Structures are given as C-alpha cells and as structure tokens.
Amino acid sequence: MPRSAPRLPVPALVLLAALACGGQARAQAQAYGLDPVHTRVVFAVDHAGFSKAIGTVSGSRGTLLFDPEDWTSARLEAQVPIAALDLGDERWNRAVLGRGLLDAERYPAARFVSERIEPLDADRAAVHGTLTLRGVTRPATLEVVFNALKRHPMPPFRRTVGFSATTTLSRAEFGIDAWPSMIGDTVELRIEAEATRIRGGYGQATPAPAPAAAPDRPATGDLPLPPPPEHESEQDPTP
C-alpha cells in the first residue's frame, strides 16, 4: 500500500493557517490618498481660562494603506500644512504662526507617521506613531473611528474611506512654550479625514506643498509677537 503523507502536529497547522490568513489580509490592503478638501484638523486650546480658542487646518495630504478586516496591517503617513492654519482672524493667525509659537516660516508642515495599530473593536483603533511639529518629533497616539468604506456617490465615483480621530498633545513638548499664562499647554485635536483609492500604491500620493503666503498674510517670520510690557514677560498675543 502507498505510504501516507506524514501528519503535521497541530501547532504547525495553526501556524500555517495564521500565515495564510495573514498573507490574504495583506493582499487585501489597499492604498488611499488623503483628500485635502475633505480632510480637516480642528484644534482647541485654553485662552487665559476664558474660553477654548478653536482653529482649523485644511489641505492635509498623505497616504493610507488599509484593510478593514485587518487593522494591524494599516499604515499612515500624513502632512498637515501648518501655514494654512486659520483661527478666524488675520492678526491672530499671524501671531500664532510667528516665530514665538509655531514658526511656520521655517516649519510650514507637521508630519504624522504611524508605527503600530492597536485594534480596539471592529470600528475603533489606537494608531500609535510619531508627530513632527516645529522640527521636534514626539510619540503620538490617535484614537480613530472607522466611519465608512464605499464607492463615493459623486463623480468620479472612486472608492473612499472615512475616519474620525482625536488626540491631545502638550505644546511645550514640541518647544511651543511661549505665553503660558495666556495659552494653555494642552491642545485638543479632532481630525475628520477622507481618502480615495490610488493606483500608485502606498507612498505615491503627492506630499503637501508649503502654502505660499497670501497677499494679505505676509511671511510669518516678519511678524514677531507683540513686545511684552516692561515688567511682564507674557502678553496676550491675540488681538
């Protein structure tokens, strides 16, 4: 009688099945490019205890590798054009973008790169990575909610994925420590993001360009914060 093939031990079978499933999951991961129009960063920071100053940044670009069935295979790299920040007032914008705070002339963009994805449930994950802001790189974790992955209902009907994310950071950890009695240290971030399928693969999306200064917004390096009073080192930079 022909000799039967040797049986693999159960642990080996489990390992092979896991490797096969992992290979299938990686094969299903698709590349997406962030939609700069429908991706927006909203931030809030304490203003002298009176209120939370709220600003937005539009125009973020980057690439995402994502498989909804396997969050751990996801990868994200995004650039946020800090120089496009808007607090609703030009004088306030110039003060915050100046060298005393964000120094947007020398550091016009922030960059987030994911390093590890921690699934929390079917629709939520903690995205651990690094954030580079004002030339300083620190660990950062985004709490991400998966909203949808489907064909967009408007032309060109591309497959689109959407997320909401939140995190907090300490501005002092990035060297942004001016005006501590006027501006809180904790910055709350909310991110609404959409990304569409791209053919070139992960990392092929065009990086965010440094936005040119608008005619009514001169280069931020020429706009230092207002000088402090004679016996005071902190003056409200807001108008």
Side-chain angles (χ1 to χ4, degrees):
M1 295 179 64
R3 183 178 299 176
S4 60
R7 291 186 177 181
L8 291 172
V10 172
L13 290 172
V14 172
L15 176 61
L16 287 174
L19 290 173
C21 291
Q24 292 173 0
R26 284 191 294 273
Q28 293 170 357
Q30 302 291 335
Y32 299 82
L34 286 180
D35 180 344
V37 176
H38 296 103
T39 297
R40 178 167 291 189
V41 178
V42 180
F43 64 90
V45 62
D46 184 79
H47 179 234
F50 296 113
S51 65
K52 292 288 183 69
I54 297 176
T56 62
V57 184
S58 299
S60 297
R61 295 180 183 271
T63 50
L64 167 69
L65 188 68
F66 181 65
D67 172 10
E69 302 300 323
D70 179 21
W71 280 75
T72 61
S73 67
R75 296 168 61 191
L76 170 66
E77 181 172 345
Q79 292 193 55
V80 180
I82 295 299
L85 170 150
D86 183 18
L87 282 154
D89 179 87
E90 281 301 318
R91 290 173 58 201
W92 202 353
N93 290 343
R94 289 195 295 267
V96 173
L97 293 172
R99 290 182 181 176
L101 290 172
L102 291 175
D103 198 0
E105 184 176 48
R106 289 193 297 170
Y107 307 104
R111 182 169 180 257
F112 179 81
V113 179
S114 67
E115 294 182 339
R116 178 174 63 89
I117 313 298
E118 178 187 356
L120 302 176
D121 57 37
D123 297 323
R124 298 185 306 120
V127 179
H128 304 278
T130 58
L131 174 65
T132 301
L133 175 64
R134 204 178 188 267
V136 178
T137 301
R138 292 284 185 268
T141 299
L142 302 177
E143 298 290 336
V144 177
V145 177
F146 169 46
N147 296 326
L149 173 57
K150 58 185 179 180
R151 181 173 179 265
H152 200 285
M154 298 292 290
F157 307 110
R158 290 184 295 180
R159 196 158 180 79
T160 300
V161 61
F163 299 92
S164 300
T166 57
T167 191
T168 60
L169 57 88
S170 162
R171 65 186 184 95
E173 288 187 355
F174 294 88
I176 310 169
D177 54 5
W179 318 106
S181 70
M182 297 295 175
I183 304 173
D185 180 62
T186 300
V187 181
E188 302 169 12
L189 295 179
R190 174 182 172 182
I191 303 155
E192 296 294 332
E194 295 184 19
T196 55
R197 276 284 305 274
I198 53 178
R199 295 181 179 179
Y202 180 81
Q204 298 301 310
T206 304
D216 58 347
R217 184 186 294 186
T220 56
D222 297 328
L223 292 162
L225 288 171
E230 184 177 355
H231 300 293
E232 191 67 45
S233 61
E234 296 166 6
Q235 175 180 331
D236 189 353
T238 62

